[in-house]
Amino acid sequence: MKRILLLALLLAATLAVNAQFEGSKQVFESPNLKTETAKHKVVAILPFATRISYRKPPKDYSAESNKAQEDKLSTSIQSSLYTFLLRKASSYSVEFQDVERTNILLRKAGVFDKLNEMTKDEIAKILQVDAVIGGQFETEQTRSEAGAIATTILFGGFGSKTGTGTLTLTINEGEKGSLIWRFFKSMDDNVLSSSDILVERMMRKVSRNFPYSK
């Protein structure tokens, strides 16, 4: 039974990659996008604003634990995006600030947990960058992980859908804080998904429209 369970989970993990990002996509580009991005040399990636909700809260639901999970996901997606961009650094026209440096500077300034109360130009000034990449990820869980895994094993529902979500990626120039680019995508969320998979799939969709691509 353990071998069957392990095999099922491995197959699910492989097929899960193709189970995401089935939804609408929207891209906004400012008329002066190319003019602005041509000036940029260093860009920072901010922690993502995250929200995890449940259609029906699990029995062991804890608001404190849920907030901790959201905070962890916030920096996890930030780190995954930085790693992805760093891997393909030669494909981009700018340098991306190390996210550890970004977060340390934000904490030193006492604003790490107050980013939603600040303008993007204020943040860019603290980080000493030409632009900032921000993001928001929201997911509503419709099934428990245990239920999704049970379906995977018993009925062969590899990549079982456990909820829905939306992901937004934005770029604001650093001088005035103006929004110059925005990407929005709705998707299905999978029990075995990770922030790395989330970013990988997102950037594949973004690649043709990403302003810093050479």
Side-chain angles (χ1 to χ4, degrees):
M1 184 63 184
K2 289 183 178 180
R3 290 182 179 179
I4 295 175
L5 174 61
L6 180 59
L7 179 60
L9 292 177
L10 287 174
L11 287 172
T14 302
L15 296 175
V17 176
N18 298 317
Q20 288 192 322
F21 286 83
E22 298 298 330
S24 61
K25 178 181 75 172
Q26 299 173 13
V27 179
F28 161 78
E29 294 184 357
S30 167
N32 60 340
L33 176 65
K34 291 184 178 180
T35 304
E36 289 294 339
T37 54
K39 305 174 187 175
H40 300 165
K41 295 181 179 180
V42 183
V43 178
I45 304 166
L46 303 179
F48 274 56
T50 56
R51 182 172 180 269
I52 302 172
S53 60
Y54 297 86
R55 186 167 297 179
K56 183 179 179 181
K59 293 180 181 179
D60 59 347
Y61 175 81
S62 162
E64 185 177 338
S65 297
N66 195 67
K67 177 62 167 61
Q69 188 176 359
E70 289 175 338
D71 291 343
K72 182 178 180 181
L73 184 60
S74 171
T75 52
S76 180
I77 297 177
Q78 176 197 27
S79 180
S80 291
L81 179 56
Y82 174 64
T83 299
F84 178 92
L85 296 174
L86 198 63
R87 261 191 358 227
K88 301 177 181 291
S90 61
S91 301
Y92 303 116
S93 59
V94 296
E95 176 187 340
F96 298 99
Q97 186 177 78
D98 188 299
V99 292
E100 287 189 13
R101 176 177 174 79
T102 297
N103 294 346
I104 287 173
L105 290 174
L106 292 174
R107 287 192 174 96
K108 281 186 174 181
V111 299
F112 183 82
D113 297 318
K114 301 177 182 179
L115 295 181
N116 61 339
E117 301 175 12
M118 302 185 66
T119 61
K120 293 299 191 292
D121 53 301
E122 289 174 331
I123 296 173
K125 186 176 181 180
I126 290 172
L127 300 176
Q128 299 180 342
V129 294
D130 304 306
V132 292
I133 295 177
Q136 180 173 331
F137 177 67
E138 297 185 5
T139 178
E140 180 185 55
Q141 297 297 302
T142 55
R143 300 173 58 199
S144 68
E145 290 192 2
I149 292 175
T151 299
T152 296
I153 296 168
L154 296 176
F155 304 105
F158 299 117
S160 301
K161 176 183 173 183
T162 59
T164 58
T166 60
L167 193 147
T168 305
L169 193 65
T170 59
I171 298 177
N172 291 71
E173 56 87 21
E175 187 176 350
K176 297 180 180 179
S178 304
L179 176 69
I180 57 175
W181 184 83
R182 179 180 184 273
F183 171 86
F184 171 87
K185 182 71 178 165
S186 60
M187 70 208 79
D188 289 339
D189 186 30
N190 187 277
V191 65
L192 294 178
S193 295
S194 69
S195 59
D196 287 340
I197 293 175
L198 184 71
V199 167
E200 186 82 28
R201 297 293 290 177
M202 175 187 69
M203 291 307 294
R204 285 184 185 180
K205 297 293 183 181
V206 167
S207 58
R208 294 181 182 178
N209 306 102
F210 194 58
Y212 297 117
S213 297
K214 289 181 179 178

